[in-house]
Each structure stands twice: as structure tokens, then as C-alpha cells.
Amino acid sequence: MPTLRDIAKAAGVSATTVSNVLRGSKRVRSEVAERVLAVAEQLGYRPNRSARALRTGRTGTLGLIIPDLTNPFFPELAQAIVREARARGFSVSLVDSLEDPDAEEEGIILLEEQRIDGAIWVPVREFRPLPFPVVLVDRLAPDQDGVGSDHEMGGRLQADLAVTLGHRRVALITGPVALESARLRAKGFLDLASSEMEVVWVAEAPFSEELPRKVRRHLAAGGFTLVACGNDLIAIGVLRFLSEIGVAVPEEVSVIGYDDIPLAGVVRPPLTTVRQPLRQIGQEALRLLLRRIEHPQASPVQVRLPVELVLRRSTREGLG
Ligand code: RIB
């Protein structure tokens, strides 16, 4: 079994840096942290969890509380987090809250019974204090550690593409506006779109491919050449509905999603979308959680990561 020194030598860094990466005790530049984790894996490093538990009084188990595993965004996010946790010798206990506050509460009680060291949490609704250290992901709350994408930037990228492609009459389907992440995307889109184009309608939908009747009615009425969607599942629902009513994408209507879930590249036509940096979100969340566990009194930190536009074939120039 390699020691911290072996890893340090192979990665060309100090043993303290290796310890900081593996225990998450201090921030280390992400290229360096990635190199250390890769070397640790190559050399077959396995932290001695029972020794650590005896030394620290901790269990080496983290909780991961996710609102909806049927949305492919969340399994991918979960995998990014599990990968990071494993590399540092933690196991992860997963709760799917089924978008239901009662199911979420039951899951939290189970995690407490398992005496987890802390949890990464995407809340179904609002934040409330939990009986263990927590880092919020995706759905952030004021004065709490949190990691998420820059959703306002994401909405702006959607609108910017519509402007660049010369669209003049556009529509927006937001996610549930009770969620800040959905509101910020809508704000980013509308701030730019309203000054450059006519926003023909804005409607709200759950983060799902099942579109509410009101949204279907708007889509069927026409009068717009591009629709931006609150996430990829909504966009996939739009592709399906437009195909059912005989509207060609992108010839008659362009569609933009948000997330870049694996399905986005597979549907017909492949979806132009905004990619969220899941791997980085996982890394940052783990780093903040380990910091919170080590330093319960530290001031809260929020990290907003940039998103990027992924151009595929569901968008084309506006026809005026
Ligand atoms: O809450 C669900 C949505 O928010 C996901 O599809 C993803 O967009 C996340 O940020």
C-alpha cells in the first residue's frame, strides 16, 4: 500500500499537499488536486477507514440527498460526487427525495441514524438546518455553503444565441419558478431577450418532458421561431410535441435546452443546449463539505461555476 510520501513523490508535490487533497483540509489548485487523485488511484491508495474513524471519531460516510433520480441530470451529478468522495476514501449513502418533502425528511433521518459525517444536499424546497454539516448543490440558499452553475449566465447564453441567429419572435418555458435556479435562468434570458427581440410568451413547466396543457397550447398556436427551455427534459418534451403536431425543428422552430444530459446528443435533432460543469460541481461540493466538517465555524462559501453553450442541430437562423 503506497504512503502519502509515495504519492507525493510520484505527483511531484509535498506530502502536506497530498494530505490536503485527500483529507480536503485546505484548498489546492484544481490541476494539482486532480494530479494527486489520479496518482493515488494509479498507485492503488486505499485510506485506512477504521484507523481514521478511531482517530477522528467519524464514520467516513457522507450523505448525498438528491431530489429526483428520474432526471438524468441528477444521476450524473451523483456520479461526479461519488467519484470525488471515493478518491478521498469516503463512502456515500444516497437518498432520492422523489421531489417529496416527506420522503426527503425520512431520508435525512436515515442518514442521521447512519451517523454520516456530513451531506451534499439538493433540497426539494427550502433550506433548513440539518443535524449534520451540509453543502447545498444546485439549489442554493443565502449564508450557506453552496455550489452551483451560473444560471443567469446560462439564460443569457440562450438569449445571445437567439440574437446571433437573427430570431425576432421568441418564447421561453421556465422551470418551476419556486426554484431560484429556474428564476435565474429566466432572468438571464429575459434581460437580454426583451431588449433585442419580441418575447411572445413565457410559461412555466415542471422540470420534466411532460408539458402542461398551457404550454402545449402556446406551442401549437405558433407565432415564434425559437423556444428556450428551462432544462433538457422540457426541451425534449417540446421536440416530441412539435413533431406530433407536424412542426419541423429547426426549420420552423429552433429549440434550446439546458443541462446537456447525455440524451441531449441522442434525440432527433440533437439538442443545442447549455452545459453545466458537473464534474467541477462535484469537486467543489466535496471540497466545501470536507472543509465544513473540519472547520464547523468557518464562514460560508458559495461557488458559481461558468456554463457553456453546446451547439447542435435543433437551432438555426431565424426566418424573420
Ligand atoms: O432541478 C432540476 C434541474 O435543475 C435540472 O434539470 C438541472 O437543470 C438543475 O440545475
Side-chain angles (χ1 to χ4, degrees), residues 67 71 73-74 99 138-139 151 179 181 185 207 230-231 258-259 276:
N71 178 345
F73 173 82
F74 288 117
E99 286 288 8
D138 190 51
R139 302 177 183 179
H151 294 303
L179 294 176
S181 62
R185 292 169 208 187
F207 277 131
N231 81 346
Y258 196 103
D259 282 350
Q276 296 205 52

